[in-house]
Amino acid sequence: MFRRTILSLVLGYCLVFVSAFPQVPTSFVLVGDSTTDNTTILDSGGWGNGFCGSTNITALTPSSLAPNTPCINTAKNGATTGSFLTDGSWNVTVATVQAEIAKGRRTLVTIQFGHNDMKIAPPESMGANLTIMVNQLRALGAEPVLVTSLTRRTFFDNGTIDDLLGPWADETILISQQEHTHLLDLHAHSITYVEAIGPDAAHRLNRSPDDDTHLNENGTIVFGRMVADLMAASFPRQLPIIPNFGLTFNITHGIASY
Ligand SMILES: *[C@@H]1O[C@H](CO)[C@@H](O)[C@H](O)[C@H]1NC(C)=O
Ligand SMILES: *[C@@H]1O[C@H](CO)[C@@H](O)[C@H](O)[C@H]1NC(C)=O
Ligand SMILES: *[C@@H]1O[C@H](CO)[C@@H](O)[C@H](O)[C@H]1NC(C)=O
Ligand SMILES: *[C@@H]1O[C@H](CO)[C@@H](O)[C@H](O)[C@H]1NC(C)=O
Ligand SMILES: *[C@@H]1O[C@H](CO)[C@@H](O)[C@H](O)[C@H]1NC(C)=O
Ligand SMILES: *[C@@H]1O[C@H](CO)[C@@H](O)[C@H](O)[C@H]1NC(C)=O
Ligand SMILES: *[C@@H]1O[C@H](CO)[C@@H](O)[C@H](O)[C@H]1NC(C)=O
């Protein structure tokens, strides 16, 4: 299974880079909460910087995308689907998407929620709001890509993850099936990986030692790559995602990189 995944990734990347395969100019826009967000203050920090790259010179983060690929992170700390839709954040996303589409670019929009939604309402409430987002993005001409919640790195003594986000991940999967969107199952893949590397290595990716939710620079590199690889596998040979075979090998073999 792992081997087949790697083979298809390698083939996908080779065809992108070796053949003269004409690629549609593509932009990425990210929507979500702090586990996607690109800020680096305490209690924030998600996988967005590892996916898009960050030019913050004190914490320069390499991009997972080909040079000059627009990747605009509109995720917001503390957001639920409901707050994101009503506090003006969604309007920023919509304006950003419209601008990319106006440039004639294929525009993929990742949507990942759950961490805060789970604190205020049952999964179906988030699901209804995800459906609104999906439909509005499609009406703009964009392609929504649903992403299940990045796992928290909270372990039971027996080394398995204490997974409170499961029902919200399941709801995201359900909406992707109902609405026929692409789905990146970051929740499942991140659980598999952190259980394989164990609590000590997993906690080295935390923003601060006791913050099992947010990511430091190394964490954003690891999980940004995980998202990029899931995206590349979901859209084979179509996207300007650049490979990092060493990191992909570590991720798919349960090896800690940091
Ligand atoms: C840049 O990264 C450093 C180190 O993580 C952080 O202290 C600083 O706030 C970041 N700056 C911005 C604009 O995110
Ligand atoms: C976060 O994303 C926004 C929108 O793409 C960008 O303007 C900002 O520079 C990014 N911040 C960092 C630290 O990369
Ligand atoms: C979804 O949106 C509705 C309507 O704005 C809101 O009442 C509800 O709290 C939202 N759900 C979540 C989980 O944010
Ligand atoms: C978002 O845009 C809509 C449509 O233009 C507008 O009605 C609404 O007031 C805006 N919301 C916020 C919070 O700015
Ligand atoms: C690990 O511990 C948790 C909490 O006690 C338990 O629910 C779970 O079934 C255990 N898993 C395994 C594989 O032993
Ligand atoms: C993969 O993991 C090894 C062992 O921890 C580490 O030395 C190496 O730097 C990692 N490679 C990448 C590309 O992260
Ligand atoms: C990231 O990993 C490097 C190499 O292991 C290490 O030197 C650095 O301190 C780590 N950064 C953080 C914020 O833990």
Side-chain angles (χ1 to χ4, degrees):
M1 172 64 186
F2 269 163
R3 214 178 277 166
R4 199 177 307 156
T5 307
I6 291 178
L7 185 64
S8 69
L9 274 171
V10 170
L11 283 176
Y13 285 128
C14 287
L15 285 168
V16 166
F17 283 92
V18 177
S19 75
F21 206 90
Q23 268 193 39
V24 184
T26 303
S27 298
F28 297 88
V29 177
L30 313 188
V31 169
D33 55 33
S34 59
T35 62
T36 301
D37 181 284
N38 69 2
T39 57
T40 51
I41 53 171
L42 276 183
D43 298 323
S44 78
W47 53 263
N49 279 344
F51 184 79
C52 298
S54 170
T55 52
N56 178 352
I57 51 165
T58 56
L60 191 68
T61 309
S63 176
S64 301
L65 305 173
N68 303 318
T69 303
C71 188
I72 303 142
N73 194 341
T74 65
K76 181 144 191 270
N77 287 347
T80 66
T81 48
S83 73
F84 200 92
L85 281 166
T86 55
D87 72 1
S89 304
W90 183 247
N91 284 8
V92 172
T93 304
V94 167
T96 302
V97 166
Q98 284 172 324
E100 294 310 303
I101 287 177
K103 293 176 208 156
R105 303 187 66 92
R106 179 180 189 186
T107 302
L108 269 57
V109 185
T110 66
I111 309 173
Q112 185 215 291
F113 285 95
H115 282 261
N116 303 308
D117 302 73
M118 69 174 288
K119 299 170 188 164
I120 64 159
E124 301 72 39
S125 178
M126 179 187 78
N129 295 341
L130 290 176
T131 302
I132 292 171
M133 291 178 177
V134 163
N135 289 328
Q136 290 195 16
L137 289 171
R138 284 189 166 146
L140 298 172
E143 293 173 57
V145 178
L146 290 176
V147 183
T148 55
S149 309
L150 175 70
T151 187
R152 294 193 185 91
R153 290 163 304 285
T154 311
F155 288 82
F156 289 123
D157 289 343
N158 62 18
T160 64
I161 286 288
D162 181 3
D163 180 27
L164 303 176
L165 284 156
W168 281 264
D170 290 344
E171 179 71 17
T172 306
I173 293 169
L174 178 70
I175 302 302
S176 81
Q177 290 166 347
Q178 284 177 357
E179 301 300 322
H180 306 289
T181 73
H182 282 258
L183 174 82
L184 312 185
D185 197 355
L186 178 61
H187 184 253
H189 283 81
S190 59
I191 289 176
T192 300
Y193 182 62
V194 299
E195 287 185 346
I197 65 175
D200 291 346
H203 291 154
R204 286 200 292 274
L205 306 176
N206 287 1
R207 159 68 52 209
S208 52
D210 294 332
D211 180 352
D212 287 336
T213 302
H214 304 106
L215 302 171
N216 63 18
E217 294 84 10
N218 295 336
T220 196
I221 290 170
V222 168
F223 292 107
R225 169 53 52 185
M226 186 179 284
V227 172
D229 286 347
L230 292 172
M231 185 86 85
S234 192
F235 294 85
R237 296 181 294 283
Q238 296 174 43
L239 301 180
I241 293 173
I242 55 176
N244 180 342
F245 292 119
L247 184 51
T248 295
F249 183 90
N250 284 357
I251 290 170
T252 53
H253 289 74
I255 298 168
S257 286
Y258 298 101

